[in-house]
Amino acid sequence: MKLSKLLTSKQLSPIPSSSSQSLTTLFKTGFNPTHKDYTNFLLHLLKSQKFRFITHFISQLTSNQIEQHHIFNSIFTKSLLNHQIHEKALTFINTHMEKTPIVVQNRILDALIQAVCINEQDPERGLSILQHFLKKDGIFPSSFTFCTLIRAFCLKGEMDRAMEVVGMMSDEKFKYPFDSFVISCVVSGFLSIWKNELALGFYENVVSSGGVKMNVVAYTCVLSAYCRLKRFEKVCDLGCEIEKGGLAFDVVFYGCLVHEYFKAGMVVSALEKHREMVERKIEPDTVSYTILVDGFSKEGLVEKGVGFLHKMRKEGVEPNLITYTSIMLGFCKKGKLEEALNVFKIVEDLGMKADEFVYATLIDGFCRILDFDNVFRLLDEMNEKGVHPSVVTYNTIINGLCKSGRTTEACEISKNVDGDVITYSTLLHGYIKEKDSTGLLMTKKRLEEAGIQMDVIMCNMLIKALFMVGSFEDVYVIYKGMPEMGLVPNHVTYCTLIDGYCKFGRIEDALEIFDEFRMTSTDSVACYNCIIDGLCKRNMIDIAVQVFLELNERGMPLDLGICRILLKSISRTMGPDGILDFVLKIEKLDREVFHIICNDTLCFLCDEGFFESPSDLYTFMRKNGFVLTVKSYNSLLEMLFKDRKTCLAKICLSDFVKEIGFFEPRVSKIILDHLCMKDVRLAIKYLESKMAKTQKLVFPVSVLEKLIKNGRACDAFKLLMGSKERLPFMDVVDYTIVVDGLCKGGNIGKALEVCTLAKNYGITLNIITYNSIINGLCHQGCFVEAFRLFDSLENINVIPSEITYSILIDSLSKEGYLLDAKNIFERMVSKNLKPNIRVYNSLINGYSKIGSLSEVLKIVDDLDETGVKPDEFTVSVVINSFCKSGNMEGALEYYFDSKTNGFSPDLLGYFYLIRGLCSKGRMEESRSILRDTLQNGKVVDMLKKVDTGEETESVDRFLDSLCDRGNIREAVMILDEVVRMFFPVGKTVDETEVRAVGSEPLILDREGDVVSDDFDAYYGLLASLCSKGELKKANKVAKLLTGFDGG
């Protein structure tokens, strides 16, 4: 390097012809500059920022053995640092700075450490340099150096090292006070690693030491800590403290506050703080508006966010790309992709260049609605516009495919990407969801080949996947290898391991993991619940109880779900007495917890139908001063009234009234419920009381259904009609239940009154209600009224259903009105309604009763044509038809054809066939059918139910013995008795009378025209009354028909 190219200062200008001479040559010519000359020249170079020239000049001075002044060293060091040659600067300091004044050394050290922290972002190296030089006497770094180190460590999240520097800064040697910068850095650092408690702890310790003056920036950081810990009451105190200190709020402070309120889900509070900022004359900027837009969008209120977007543009505040992206995110979350694309178009029209996050947001939106065509279109568009998708975008696509059950496609996409831990975790989760063992093993292999550094979440996912494929050894290896990877198992890890081992029956391994979990400082109710559940499934109740007690001893919250599992296991293995023993074992628990468990146990015992144990537990609780909850009283009273323990029920009810109060609505409802089930007259009287009217008390609708189920339809009617001035909310289903119950009990008139009541309350009855009425009318023999109602349905826009037609066809067939039944059947088919096998069976049975085999066979042929499969009843009735006509060959042929097609008769069908063959003297064939009968599982089950009076002998075995001996007639006699037992003979109709009735239709062919009220029309009603022995009613009907009133 030529000196002439460097010497440009005025102090060296007199040197002649030096343009082409080196420093050595100049010295030889007799030129002898002083230290002052050198210093001025170096300072000039430093001021001109010609750092490279300085290093070369110092190198020439060193090579020419010119004694260097300490200022030279200082300037040289600064030059090296500006060139970011930090290691060389450190070496130079160590070798050349001994003679440099200590003040200069401190400045150089400060510059070096700050350069390492800021330029190299290596605070660890900076701290080691500081610790090295502090060993020398007189070294005293500036507070800014400590601040630089603290900030660098905080930015990296290495808070242990940051606090170490904080300790050095405040020790006896330096005693630097903490300023706002340090507080801001440390609090922000703790917040960045989610150690919110430590952030506040540091702040509170600093404030308690006194003498700290904070600025708004520091207060803003502290504000975030309070918000994240949900200590919003402290936010107001902080605001007062800021005002007290004479500090002015700024837009950043309010922006941070609004952001934290949104994160906590407090939308209204966030909006109020924004308004407060505006009232304080603080003008919102782009960032503060973007925080609002983003907050509303994430809360599902994107329309509100759009409103603020328009407002900011109206006020002259220009939205940025992040603002528009937040709006797109909001629309995507709500599935409004068209609106999101419109916003995207606005971004393009404004000349903004969409970045990867914009595209990733839209891609995620399309993934949510499973529109993968648009997903891949956007991916292609990204590549065309030079926006290179990173692993983040691909992870979004992979996640969408996995959630939609297309994990294999997601795996293929991942092969073209340098996946990260999220990529493989997502794939594993997808394969776990699809239970694809092959995919899990393939992903595990790829993960190992990629050498991805796993995190705890990844390990947990892999453990769950390995459990699925049964690779228990690999599970153990991963778990034990976590510390080597620098990972600490969390509660999810332990829970996954315990649950996995329990599900595969490896309870010993689960207990080993649980013991290791107990040695950690982690608290997890889920882990305790998993092991208790596993122990209960293996009936290891004693250990499960011990674990349950430990769960409560450690002060963790009670989980009633796991308590119920424990109660069910104890009940299954030891019965109700075991449950009472369990209650005694846990008696020493915290009183409040024990009280909750006792109430839950009482409800459980009542729900399980135990009668003695709930009473004992109730007595125990009362004796020990425990108060029953309303739910417990409800369950106990319901059980006691069901078991008819009226004495104890009255005591319990009395206690309930004493504790809760007679005028408490809940008590009144329970009393009313009890009265409804006991005596509806008392219930109605209670409803008419002044107190009930004051409380606007109504009976529970569920009582009506209970009464109906207990065969008390008339009581349900009385309660309904007696309370019609103040009914509970009832829909058409509730009214239909009452109508159906009354109709089945033969109370048609009352059922119609209920229908009238429903209509008065504006309830539109449906076809199910009318089906119940039609069925009731038919069962009472009131066919004319039934058909009048049936014909009127279409006039009130109610379409008859398959069940409507089925009821009519069945009723007509049973009464012998087969022509009418057939007409209704044809009418049903013409309405495009498909008759089921029960409808066909009604017709087949009707024709079988009058011995019309030809009609029976026609209907059987229709079955084959329509594709309706016969059932056991069909086969049995057809066989009986053949037998009644004496056509045993036809009966046998039909039986074997049905058997070949997989259809067998029931016990009655077998009996008809065996009896028919036996009456014809065809004993061997009858014997063969009897053997088939005894091989039919359903028939044998019925025969086993017959009480023979002998414990060792059953009917099926006896019949089998008779069959072996060939005593078929005796077998027929026994079968006849069994058939009479299972199918008791009801009303019988003379065949000639049935034929006479069946020959004339009840309904005329003309649409909507019904015959007059003649005797034939009322024959069904008269026959029904006579068969029931109600002769007086039948006589009254006959008199009305003839016009004779009895005079």
Side-chain angles (χ1 to χ4, degrees):
M1 181 70 186
K2 301 292 184 180
L3 187 64
S4 59
K5 296 179 182 178
L6 298 175
L7 300 179
T8 57
S9 92
K10 292 182 180 179
Q11 287 81 357
L12 297 179
S13 57
I15 301 175
S17 62
S18 58
S19 59
S20 61
Q21 296 177 353
S22 67
L23 184 59
T24 306
T25 308
L26 285 172
F27 288 143
K28 288 179 179 179
T29 60
F31 174 68
N32 188 20
T34 64
H35 280 102
K36 185 178 180 180
D37 296 327
Y38 291 129
T39 300
N40 289 336
F41 179 62
L42 287 169
L43 289 171
H44 174 76
L45 292 177
L46 183 63
K47 187 177 180 180
S48 304
Q49 296 187 356
K50 297 183 177 180
F51 306 112
R52 188 161 52 87
F53 293 160
I54 292 172
T55 54
H56 285 285
F57 186 77
I58 295 293
S59 297
Q60 287 203 19
L61 290 177
T62 304
S63 62
N64 285 282
Q65 298 180 353
I66 296 173
E67 184 181 353
Q68 298 180 19
H69 194 266
H70 65 84
I71 296 177
F72 297 176
N73 298 334
S74 177
I75 293 172
F76 182 57
T77 306
K78 287 181 180 179
S79 177
L80 291 173
L81 292 176
N82 275 281
H83 272 90
Q84 297 187 18
I85 310 173
H86 303 130
E87 288 303 319
K88 189 173 181 180
L90 179 60
T91 305
F92 184 81
I93 291 169
N94 283 325
T95 55
H96 293 81
M97 297 294 286
E98 291 83 0
K99 297 179 182 180
T100 304
I102 198 68
V103 176
V104 178
Q105 288 189 41
N106 286 328
R107 289 178 183 171
I108 293 173
L109 180 63
D110 287 341
L112 175 61
I113 294 173
Q114 291 165 25
V116 170
C117 292
I118 295 169
N119 298 331
E120 291 189 2
Q121 297 181 358
D122 188 1
E124 192 65 44
R125 179 64 173 150
L127 180 58
S128 66
I129 292 169
L130 177 62
Q131 290 171 336
H132 171 73
F133 279 98
L134 285 178
K135 295 174 184 178
K136 298 180 180 181
D137 293 333
I139 296 297
F140 203 91
S142 67
S143 62
F144 188 72
T145 299
F146 285 108
C147 291
T148 304
L149 282 167
I150 291 168
R151 181 177 181 276
F153 277 122
C154 289
L155 288 174
K156 284 180 167 286
E158 298 176 12
M159 296 310 297
D160 292 339
R161 303 297 275 167
M163 293 308 295
E164 184 181 340
V165 179
V166 168
M168 293 170 61
M169 181 180 181
S170 59
D171 68 10
E172 290 295 326
K173 183 176 180 181
F174 303 107
K175 291 185 178 179
Y176 283 127
F178 296 141
D179 58 7
S180 295
F181 182 83
V182 174
I183 296 171
S184 302
C185 289
V186 174
V187 172
S188 298
F190 279 123
L191 292 178
S192 68
I193 60 172
W194 300 100
K195 296 291 180 69
N196 306 317
E197 296 86 355
L198 294 177
L200 277 183
F202 173 77
Y203 162 70
E204 288 166 357
N205 287 336
V206 171
V207 171
S208 62
S209 64
V212 178
K213 189 174 181 180
M214 293 175 51
N215 60 16
V216 178
V217 177
Y219 278 119
T220 304
C221 296
V222 175
L223 169 80
S224 298
Y226 278 129
C227 290
R228 292 186 188 183
L229 290 172
K230 312 292 184 188
R231 294 169 64 179
F232 293 102
E233 73 284 353
K234 287 287 186 180
V235 173
C236 295
D237 297 340
L238 206 63
C240 294
E241 194 176 325
I242 293 171
E243 289 183 325
K244 198 175 185 181
L247 298 173
F249 295 100
D250 60 8
V251 70
V252 178
F253 178 87
Y254 274 103
C256 179
L257 185 56
V258 170
H259 176 66
E260 293 297 341
Y261 272 123
F262 271 122
K263 283 176 68 176
M266 300 170 69
V267 179
V268 176
S269 298
L271 192 55
E272 286 174 353
K273 291 300 173 184
H274 176 76
R275 287 172 180 164
E276 183 183 309
M277 177 184 75
V278 175
E279 288 169 3
R280 287 179 178 270
K281 307 298 181 185
I282 300 172
E283 292 186 3
D285 59 7
T286 301
V287 175
S288 59
Y289 270 120
T290 300
I291 289 171
L292 275 174
V293 171
D294 185 64
F296 283 120
S297 296
K298 286 178 178 176
E299 288 294 326
L301 302 168
V302 65
E303 292 80 8
K304 192 80 174 173
V306 172
F308 275 101
L309 176 67
H310 292 312
K311 185 178 180 182
M312 68 185 291
R313 295 185 68 178
K314 186 177 178 181
E315 293 179 359
V317 181
E318 283 301 318
N320 58 22
L321 185 61
I322 299 172
T323 317
Y324 287 109
T325 305
S326 297
I327 295 291
M328 282 186 263
L329 177 65
F331 280 126
C332 287
K333 286 185 74 174
K334 296 187 78 171
K336 296 182 176 181
L337 272 300
E338 187 175 345
E339 289 85 344
L341 288 174
N342 288 337
V343 177
F344 180 68
K345 188 174 185 304
I346 291 171
V347 169
E348 290 185 320
D349 292 342
L350 289 171
M352 295 183 182
K353 186 178 180 182
D355 59 10
E356 185 190 3
F357 187 72
V358 174
Y359 280 102
T361 301
L362 290 171
I363 285 171
D364 182 60
F366 281 112
C367 285
R368 286 171 183 265
I369 63 171
L370 307 181
D371 185 356
F372 291 101
D373 290 336
N374 271 313
V375 166
F376 292 112
R377 178 185 65 77
L378 286 169
L379 190 65
D380 292 338
E381 186 178 313
M382 285 178 72
N383 290 315
E384 288 171 6
K385 293 187 176 180
V387 181
H388 300 293
S390 68
V391 70
V392 175
T393 305
Y394 282 108
N395 282 347
T396 304
I397 299 171
I398 290 167
N399 183 53
L401 288 168
C402 289
K403 283 184 176 179
S404 65
R406 298 165 64 175
T407 310
T408 305
E409 292 179 52
C411 184
E412 289 300 317
I413 290 173
S414 70
K415 290 177 181 178
N416 301 318
V417 183
D418 291 331
D420 57 8
V421 67
I422 296 173
T423 311
Y424 291 101
S425 296
T426 307
L427 288 171
L428 286 172
H429 186 267
Y431 282 125
I432 289 170
K433 188 178 175 183
E434 294 177 18
K435 298 181 180 180
D436 187 342
S437 302
T438 306
L440 288 170
L441 292 172
M442 180 182 67
T443 306
K444 177 179 176 290
K445 184 180 178 182
R446 285 182 57 199
L447 175 64
E448 291 169 350
E449 291 173 351
I452 298 292
Q453 179 64 38
M454 293 195 291
D455 58 8
V456 177
I457 297 173
M458 181 68 172
C459 288
N460 294 343
M461 198 67 67
L462 194 54
I463 287 170
K464 190 172 183 179
L466 291 169
F467 268 123
M468 181 176 279
V469 298
S471 185
F472 303 111
E473 293 77 10
D474 288 342
V475 166
Y476 192 76
V477 168
I478 289 174
Y479 166 62
K480 287 298 181 183
M482 288 179 74
E484 295 178 8
M485 293 185 275
L487 304 175
V488 178
N490 59 13
H491 71 280
V492 179
T493 313
Y494 288 110
C495 195
T496 306
L497 287 164
I498 293 167
D499 184 58
Y501 281 126
C502 286
K503 281 181 179 176
F504 285 92
R506 299 171 69 118
I507 195 69
E508 294 81 8
D509 293 332
L511 285 169
E512 181 185 338
I513 297 295
F514 180 68
D515 285 336
E516 293 182 16
F517 160 73
R518 291 165 65 200
M519 295 170 66
T520 66
S521 59
T522 307
D523 285 337
S524 171
V525 176
C527 290
Y528 277 91
N529 288 352
C530 280
I531 194 67
I532 291 171
D533 186 41
L535 290 166
C536 287
K537 286 177 180 175
R538 295 293 298 271
N539 293 328
M540 299 169 73
I541 306 301
D542 292 336
I543 302 176
V545 172
Q546 289 176 20
V547 175
F548 181 77
L549 290 170
E550 184 183 302
L551 167 66
N552 289 279
E553 286 169 7
R554 291 185 66 170
M556 283 183 265
L558 174 68
D559 185 348
L560 286 177
I562 202 65
C563 185
R564 272 296 172 106
I565 290 172
L566 193 54
L567 290 174
K568 285 180 182 179
S569 300
I570 296 171
S571 172
R572 186 177 63 249
T573 55
M574 294 180 276
D577 293 336
I579 291 176
L580 294 178
D581 290 339
F582 166 70
V583 172
L584 293 174
K585 282 181 184 178
I586 64 173
E587 191 175 359
K588 293 182 180 179
L589 285 177
D590 177 74
R591 187 172 177 82
E592 186 178 348
V593 173
F594 185 60
H595 172 243
I596 295 170
I597 293 174
C598 283
N599 273 291
D600 189 60
T601 304
L602 182 62
C603 293
F604 172 77
L605 289 169
C606 294
D607 293 343
E608 290 295 304
F610 299 119
F611 293 106
E612 297 296 333
S613 303
S615 304
D616 295 339
L617 182 56
Y618 169 71
T619 306
F620 169 81
M621 291 176 70
R622 299 298 300 164
K623 184 179 177 181
N624 287 276
F626 289 110
V627 179
L628 273 71
T629 61
V630 175
K631 183 181 178 183
S632 299
Y633 271 119
N634 246 331
S635 300
L636 184 60
L637 286 168
E638 187 177 345
M639 184 272 299
L640 291 172
F641 288 132
K642 190 183 293 182
D643 196 35
R644 297 183 180 178
K645 292 189 176 181
T646 52
C647 182
L648 184 58
K650 287 177 180 177
I651 295 171
C652 180
L653 187 57
S654 176
D655 289 341
F656 189 22
V657 172
K658 288 176 185 177
E659 288 176 9
I660 307 299
F662 191 75
F663 295 97
E664 169 66 33
R666 291 174 296 181
V667 178
S668 300
K669 287 179 182 178
I670 290 174
I671 293 172
L672 179 59
D673 194 11
H674 164 57
L675 291 174
C676 288
M677 297 306 296
K678 184 181 180 181
D679 189 340
V680 293
R681 290 176 298 176
L682 292 174
I684 293 169
K685 191 174 180 181
Y686 183 70
L687 281 168
E688 291 173 351
S689 67
K690 186 177 180 180
M691 185 197 68
K693 289 179 180 178
T694 304
Q695 295 181 352
K696 297 181 179 179
L697 194 64
V698 293
F699 67 84
V701 180
S702 58
V703 165
L704 296 174
E705 190 172 357
K706 289 179 185 176
L707 290 169
I708 299 291
K709 284 183 178 178
N710 291 340
R712 296 169 60 188
C714 288
D715 282 344
F717 172 76
K718 289 176 185 176
L719 180 62
L720 191 63
M721 302 308 290
S723 312
K724 61 183 178 181
E725 299 301 326
R726 199 168 65 253
L727 289 176
F729 173 76
M730 293 175 62
D731 58 16
V732 66
V733 176
D734 300 316
Y735 284 105
T736 302
I737 289 171
V738 178
V739 169
D740 187 60
L742 289 167
C743 289
K744 285 178 179 175
N747 300 293
I748 302 296
K750 292 177 179 177
L752 294 174
E753 284 187 54
V754 174
C755 291
T756 303
L757 180 67
K759 288 181 178 179
N760 290 340
Y761 275 98
I763 301 295
T764 303
L765 302 178
N766 58 24
I767 188 59
I768 300 172
T769 319
Y770 288 112
N771 284 345
S772 297
I773 298 171
I774 290 170
N775 189 43
L777 289 168
C778 289
H779 274 83
Q780 293 296 309
C782 304
F783 290 106
V784 173
E785 287 78 3
F787 278 107
R788 280 176 178 167
L789 178 59
F790 172 71
D791 288 333
S792 69
L793 290 179
E794 292 186 2
N795 295 332
I796 57 175
N797 296 320
V798 178
I799 307 300
S801 65
E802 290 92 339
I803 295 173
T804 316
Y805 286 99
S806 177
I807 290 168
L808 290 170
I809 292 167
D810 184 61
S811 300
L812 289 168
S813 298
K814 283 179 179 176
E815 294 296 332
Y817 298 109
L818 294 169
L819 288 176
D820 297 296
K822 193 170 183 180
N823 287 336
I824 294 293
F825 177 82
E826 290 171 356
R827 190 168 165 183
M828 178 184 183
V829 173
S830 69
K831 298 286 185 181
N832 292 322
L833 297 174
K834 294 183 179 179
N836 58 24
I837 189 59
R838 291 191 177 185
V839 176
Y840 283 104
N841 283 346
S842 297
L843 290 170
I844 291 170
N845 191 39
Y847 281 113
S848 176
K849 282 182 179 179
I850 64 172
S852 181
L853 180 60
S854 59
E855 291 293 332
V856 169
L857 294 178
K858 282 181 183 178
I859 298 172
V860 171
D861 290 338
D862 285 346
L863 284 177
D864 294 335
E865 290 177 9
T866 55
V868 179
K869 295 181 179 180
D871 59 10
E872 294 173 347
F873 183 83
T874 317
V875 177
S876 298
V877 174
V878 175
I879 288 173
N880 187 35
S881 297
F882 277 113
C883 293
K884 285 171 72 176
S885 66
N887 187 356
M888 297 312 300
E889 291 299 329
L892 281 171
E893 183 181 353
Y894 181 76
Y895 166 73
F896 286 118
D897 286 345
S898 299
K899 187 178 178 182
T900 303
N901 292 323
F903 307 111
S904 300
D906 56 15
L907 175 60
L908 205 56
Y910 280 113
F911 170 68
Y912 290 147
L913 190 56
I914 293 167
R915 186 181 65 179
L917 290 168
C918 186
S919 65
K920 297 290 184 179
R922 301 169 70 168
M923 295 303 178
E924 281 304 315
E925 290 172 298
S926 180
R927 185 179 184 182
S928 174
I929 299 300
L930 180 58
R931 288 193 186 282
D932 285 354
T933 306
L934 297 174
Q935 290 176 1
N936 187 299
K938 291 183 179 179
V939 173
V940 171
D941 289 340
M942 288 184 70
L943 295 174
K944 287 182 184 294
K945 294 176 182 178
V946 179
D947 185 10
T948 61
E950 298 288 336
E951 293 184 3
T952 57
E953 192 69 30
S954 62
V955 172
D956 60 311
R957 289 182 182 176
F958 187 56
L959 287 171
D960 190 47
S961 174
L962 291 174
C963 185
D964 289 340
R965 293 199 301 268
N967 297 335
I968 304 303
R969 293 190 184 278
E970 292 182 34
V972 171
M973 292 174 62
I974 292 170
L975 281 174
D976 185 49
E977 292 296 324
V978 172
V979 166
R980 288 176 184 274
M981 185 184 302
F982 284 112
F983 308 98
V985 179
K987 180 177 72 172
T988 57
V989 181
D990 185 76
E991 285 190 9
T992 57
E993 194 174 13
V994 171
R995 285 194 184 94
V997 174
S999 61
E1000 295 183 6
L1002 182 66
I1003 311 168
L1004 295 181
D1005 290 337
R1006 288 178 301 172
E1007 189 176 346
D1009 194 5
V1010 185
V1011 296
S1012 61
D1013 296 340
D1014 58 359
F1015 179 77
D1016 286 341
Y1018 279 93
Y1019 167 77
L1021 176 59
L1022 288 168
S1024 176
L1025 291 170
C1026 291
S1027 66
K1028 293 178 180 178
E1030 298 177 352
L1031 299 179
K1032 288 184 179 180
K1033 291 183 180 179
N1035 192 33
K1036 188 176 181 180
V1037 172
K1039 286 178 180 179
L1040 290 171
L1041 273 172
T1042 58
F1044 178 67
D1045 60 1

